[in-house]
Amino acid sequence: MSMVITEECVACAACEPECPTGAIMERKGLYVVDRKVCVDCEGYFDRPQCGEVCPVEGAIIDHKGRPLNASGSLQGTWPKETNDGTVATWRH
Amino acid sequence: YGEEAAHRYARMHVAVAPACHIQCHYCNRKYDCANESRPGVTSGVLDPEAALDHVAATQARLPHLRVVGVAGPGDALANPKRSFAFLEGLRRRFPELIPCLSTNGLALPGYVEELKRLDVAHVTVTVNCLDAAIGEAIYPWVFWKHRRRFGREAAAILLENQMEGLERAVAAGLMVKVNSVLIPGVNDRHLPQVNRVVSGMGVAIHNIMPLLAPPESATFYARMGQPVPDEVDLEQVRAQCGGSAHLMRHCRQCRADAAGLLGEEPRARTIPIARSTVSSEIFQVAVASRTGERVDEHFGHASAFRVYRLTPHGVGLMVKQRPVSRHCHGSDSCGESDSPLQRIIDTLRDCRAVVCERIGPDPQDALRAAGIEPVQRFSGSPVVEALSTLNREWRV
């Protein structure tokens, strides 16, 4: 089991120092997870740290290919339909 | 830094800090120039050693260089190892230069001592509000204590750290500046209060600057059609700010890697891609070419210019073709004011140079007066070759 960094990555390096096992490294300007070293933060934190800090939706996926930060989860997707059918503005 | 100094001394921003621990709605890390450093391309962010060499090269080019700042493209204090290694080296190799740093303030309380030790006398903190209810409309999340926090909780954590950071920095004797982004409908009525409070805390300079949200930035605000303020809005808010902090009015909202004399850089020259921009400067160049392959068109005969971006990684994509009406119709109307020529120049105002086969003396002067360099020496050469050469020369 291991996290995977996808080509959405913008190489901002935020994840690298957060990884408790040192599984994330830079390779030619890109960031990759060493599958043999990554433990999905089990035993360290309740959530994978790379996924917690990453600013880009879809840049980190789990071993089943599910994004830790789905589309719209970080940058916002408002205005969206509310339950009563009106369109909410982004300012709540 | 100060208004007078801005016109006498040069400053540079050094892009050594790529990471950030918060999200602002006026920033999108995916679509700032970072997408020029996507997989397969080397990163435009400099490691601390390379950044010091870059300072040396810039110093040779700008003898008035006095101030060197770490301004991102992420947050200087979210990258403590890189930022402090750079500042340590700066103090060792360039003791005559004044280091400064800008931050969103989240990590500031813990680093004030370190900044003091490294002689970083100037710190800029971006404070857009004091109230988490406003902050949640600006900051969707922060990463704090191993978890991403959202909404009002996120804003509250950030604002609390900003205040504590400001307090500690002032107490430590640092010269503290506050930047505030004016976001109409979000914090415009609130900024006079920010001004009052930070002034009361001993902040020396308050810089209120307009939100930038061009569509191509793809930031949340840009996508939501958030209005941006004009000069009048800006002055209205500034007029309500009566605190002791000096109101800065010469800010040009430079990129994370800008260099030069502030007074000599027209705003049009700095490409406002996103608030938090990446890596080295990007230049735009207009080319007069019939097919796009060779520099084979006379400036006055061109009915469109192809505008290219030159990035630290090479010649970028063509931005777009800009149609213009030919300025030369063979008549003697050439060079009149508000002429077709003037309109062409307005169209190309964000370009650093125009590369063409040939160009008459009057249009040359007019271009130079507008800060655009006419370039004829690539006449007949492949466009790509001309652009690569300029890109290389401009980055020495």
Side-chain angles (χ1 to χ4, degrees), chain A residues 5-81:
Chain A
I5 298 176
T6 72
E7 58 182 22
E8 295 294 308
C9 172
V10 297
C12 83
C15 56
E16 185 204 35
E18 303 302 331
C19 177
T21 59
I24 301 174
M25 67 206 101
E26 185 188 343
R27 199 177 284 162
K28 292 182 188 166
L30 305 180
Y31 285 79
V32 292
V33 182
D34 187 335
R35 285 164 176 274
K36 294 191 212 84
V37 181
C38 173
V39 296
D40 293 358
C41 284
E42 265 170 45
Y44 293 92
F45 300 103
D46 55 355
R47 292 166 201 214
Q49 294 298 288
C50 52
E52 287 296 281
V53 73
C54 178
V56 180
E57 294 157 359
I60 297 180
I61 56 176
D62 67 12
H63 67 283
K64 287 185 173 162
R66 292 173 300 204
L68 273 61
N69 300 297
S71 177
S73 65
L74 302 182
Q75 285 281 334
T77 52
W78 296 298
K80 61 187 172 193
E81 292 277 317

Side-chain angles (χ1 to χ4, degrees), chain B residues 89-118:
Chain B
L90 192 70
R91 190 172 61 152
R92 203 177 55 241
R93 279 177 60 180
F94 307 93
E96 73 281 11
L97 297 178
I98 300 167
C100 66
L101 174 147
S102 70
T103 174
N104 58 50
L106 182 68
L108 182 57
Y111 288 121
V112 167
E113 283 313 309
E114 182 71 2
L115 293 174
K116 181 102 182 137
R117 192 183 69 75
L118 288 167

Side-chain angles (χ1 to χ4, degrees), chain B residues 314-364:
Chain B
V315 175
L317 299 167
M318 185 172 74
V319 178
K320 55 196 159 207
Q321 283 210 49
R322 294 200 192 155
V324 294
S325 54
R326 290 169 39 169
H327 88 83
C328 178
H329 293 280
S331 72
D332 52 9
S333 65
C334 213
E336 278 171 21
S337 64
D338 199 31
S339 59
L341 171 60
Q342 198 50 50
R343 286 201 290 278
I344 293 172
I345 290 175
D346 288 340
T347 309
L348 304 179
R349 205 162 276 283
D350 56 352
C351 295
R352 174 163 170 175
V354 176
V355 178
C356 52
E357 184 191 34
R358 270 188 311 115
I359 176 170
D362 288 350
Q364 279 191 46

